[in-house]
Amino acid sequence: MAFNAEQTKRTRAVIVILLLVAVIALAVVVLSGALTPAGSQGQQTSQQSEQTDGNASSSSQAASDDAHTMDDVDATYGTAAKQLKAKYEANPADPSTLLNLANGYFDWGTAAMSHAQGDEDQQHAIDLFKQAISYYDTYIERNPGSKSAEVDRAICVFYSGDHTAAIAALEDFVAGDSTFGPAWANLGMFYENEGRIDDAKDAYNKAVEADPEDTYQVKTYAQQRLANLESTQSDAS
């Protein structure tokens, strides 16, 4: 995996599918960065994420496809992280590099989580998510109103283990802006993971309403989750 917008989009889409099938307890989420259409107006986060350092990403793409162990994951992401950190330190005012650091640690944490074999590996993944949160905090402070960054930060909080704080963050978000579909979709999955099925259904329905044209692929995702919940409840009755 690399700290690169195109790889991030592909990686996140794959993660959503794989975790949805295999690890529902980990709260498979629709990641807002992956759902933001390239070139859409008003989505500063998505546009800036397209400006990543290509050199940092291209060197690791082949390796990322074959990463089967934690050492492989760390070697692949670590190289890209080192390059991006150097770029950021050289120009801390560059928002695209800062955002890609946050997104990169997010993806690194997710990959580490999927390869974790024990408590030490799980803690390693959590530490990576916490680093992502730190970079998101700095980015959001400098770029208030960055919807995708705020939602992705909440997902990292959830994966780091603080489900209550993650849910509260998205509840606050949708209370202030009910038009961003990815926020509702992720909130629905958070609720579903916590067993709050009625709340999850409501959030998924709000996601569909917020994205009627499926611009962010949220409508399709939310409808699939709603159908799954209906099927599960029907089988149980």
Side-chain angles (χ1 to χ4, degrees), residues 88-100:
Y88 175 62
E89 290 170 0
N91 183 14
D94 179 16
S96 63
T97 302
L98 175 58
L99 178 60
N100 279 295

Side-chain angles (χ1 to χ4, degrees), residues 50-196:
E50 295 293 339
Q51 301 171 7
T52 316
D53 182 6
N55 292 331
S57 62
S58 60
S59 63
S60 60
Q61 181 170 358
S64 70
D65 293 336
D66 296 323
H68 298 299
T69 69
M70 188 67 77
D71 286 344
D72 294 330
V73 169
D74 287 346
T76 299
Y77 279 98
T79 299
K82 183 177 181 180
Q83 294 178 14
L84 262 184
K85 280 184 176 179
K87 183 180 178 182
Y88 175 62
E89 290 170 0
N91 183 14
D94 179 16
S96 63
T97 302
L98 175 58
L99 178 60
N100 279 295
L101 269 171
N103 289 340
Y105 273 100
F106 184 160
D107 292 336
W108 189 356
T110 307
M113 182 176 65
S114 69
H115 288 78
Q117 298 296 317
D119 292 344
E120 184 176 349
D121 287 350
Q122 290 285 351
Q123 186 59 52
H124 174 51
I126 289 171
D127 290 342
L128 293 169
F129 285 125
K130 288 182 177 179
Q131 290 188 68
I133 292 167
S134 178
Y135 284 118
Y136 279 127
D137 284 342
T138 302
Y139 180 82
I140 292 168
E141 180 181 0
R142 298 176 183 177
N143 302 272
S146 300
K147 298 180 182 181
S148 294
E150 289 186 32
V151 174
D152 286 348
R153 180 193 182 281
I155 299 168
C156 287
V157 172
F158 191 93
Y159 278 150
S160 71
D162 195 344
H163 295 186
T164 300
I167 290 172
L170 288 192
E171 287 178 338
D172 288 345
F173 182 100
V174 297
D177 182 354
S178 63
T179 66
F180 192 53
W184 284 113
N186 283 290
L187 183 56
M189 185 52 72
F190 290 176
Y191 285 146
E192 185 178 347
N193 182 81
E194 299 298 290
R196 297 169 58 177

